[in-house]
Amino acid sequence: MVSAKVHELLNAQINKEFYSAYLYLEFSNYFKDKSLDGFANWYMVQAQEERDHAMLFYTYLQNENMTVTLEAIDKPKNDFTDYMSVLTAGLEHERYVTSLINEIYAAAYETKDFRTMQFLDWFVKEQGEEETNAQDLIDKMNLFGADARSLYLLNQELAARVYAAPSLVL
Ligand code: MG
C-alpha cells in the first residue's frame, strides 16, 4: 500500500522530470543558438531521457492504481551568461533531483513501501550517473573550453551522443 505522502511525491516527480526535459531543451536551444551543435545534441538526448523518467513515474502510478494529476510545467531557467554557466546549472539541477529522489525513498522506507523502494532503486543509480556526467562536462570545459580548436573537438565528441531507451521497463 502506497501512503498518501509517497503518492503525492511520486506524482510531483512526474512534473519535476518533465521540467528537467524542458530545462535541457532550453540548454540545447542555447547551444544551438551559439552554433555548438554537439552540445545542443548532447542536451537534446538528455531532454529525451528526462521525458522517459517522467513517463516511468507516470506508468508506475497507473500500474499501482494511483491517480495521476498533471500540473503546469514551469518556465525553464535561461539567464545564462556563458557556456560554463549552463553546465554548472545542469550539475546543480541534477543534485536537486537527487535530493528529490532521496526524499521519496525516505518516505517509502518510513512506511515499509518496498515496491516503491525497488522502483526507485533504478533512479538512485541513475542520479549517480547524471551527476557524474554533468561533472565530466564541467571538467572537460575547464580543460578545453578556452581554446577554440579544443572546443571544436569537444563539440564533435558531444555530437556523437545517441539516445537509448531506459534500461528500466515497467
Ligand atoms: Mg531525471
Side-chain angles (χ1 to χ4, degrees):
M1 184 65 190
V2 177
S3 73
K5 186 184 176 187
V6 171
H7 179 184
E8 188 188 324
L9 291 173
L10 288 169
N11 189 77
Q13 195 62 29
I14 299 172
N15 188 275
K16 303 287 186 184
E17 299 291 346
F18 274 126
Y19 174 80
S20 299
Y22 221 36
L23 180 67
Y24 290 129
L25 273 183
E26 188 68 275
F27 287 11
S28 184
N29 182 44
Y30 171 89
F31 284 115
K32 190 84 183 169
D33 199 47
K34 306 289 182 193
S35 299
L36 283 168
D37 284 11
F39 283 80
N41 171 68
W42 199 91
Y43 282 115
M44 181 62 76
V45 172
Q46 191 64 29
Q48 287 173 294
E49 284 195 0
E50 299 302 344
R51 181 204 57 200
D52 289 338
H53 296 167
M55 292 311 296
L56 285 167
F57 281 95
Y58 176 94
T59 304
Y60 180 70
L61 282 169
Q62 288 192 337
N63 286 354
E64 297 299 315
N65 284 314
M66 289 182 278
T67 320
V68 169
T69 309
L70 298 176
E71 305 288 352
I73 302 166
D74 286 345
K75 180 179 167 65
K77 175 187 165 74
N78 66 352
D79 56 343
F80 310 116
T81 50
D82 55 15
Y83 306 153
M84 186 58 96
S85 70
V86 180
L87 306 192
T88 54
L91 178 59
E92 199 181 308
H93 182 70
E94 288 305 330
R95 285 177 175 159
Y96 168 64
V97 174
T98 298
S99 77
L100 295 173
I101 299 294
N102 288 347
E103 191 186 346
I104 309 171
Y105 206 104
Y109 178 81
E110 242 173 63
T111 51
K112 294 189 166 62
D113 180 352
F114 300 118
R115 193 176 300 162
T116 298
M117 286 161 65
Q118 191 181 47
F119 165 70
L120 290 174
D121 279 339
W122 185 87
F123 286 91
V124 171
K125 185 164 181 284
E126 176 72 10
Q127 280 314 117
E129 290 169 12
E130 298 286 36
E131 288 187 38
T132 300
N133 291 341
Q135 184 63 58
D136 281 353
L137 279 185
I138 291 171
D139 293 346
K140 284 177 178 170
M141 185 61 94
N142 271 328
L143 281 168
F144 311 120
D147 173 71
R149 277 194 292 187
S150 301
L151 182 64
Y152 177 78
L153 292 174
L154 178 56
N155 185 60
Q156 279 194 322
E157 180 191 322
L158 300 183
R161 185 182 186 186
V162 289
Y163 167 75
S167 54
L168 177 63
V169 179
L170 296 181

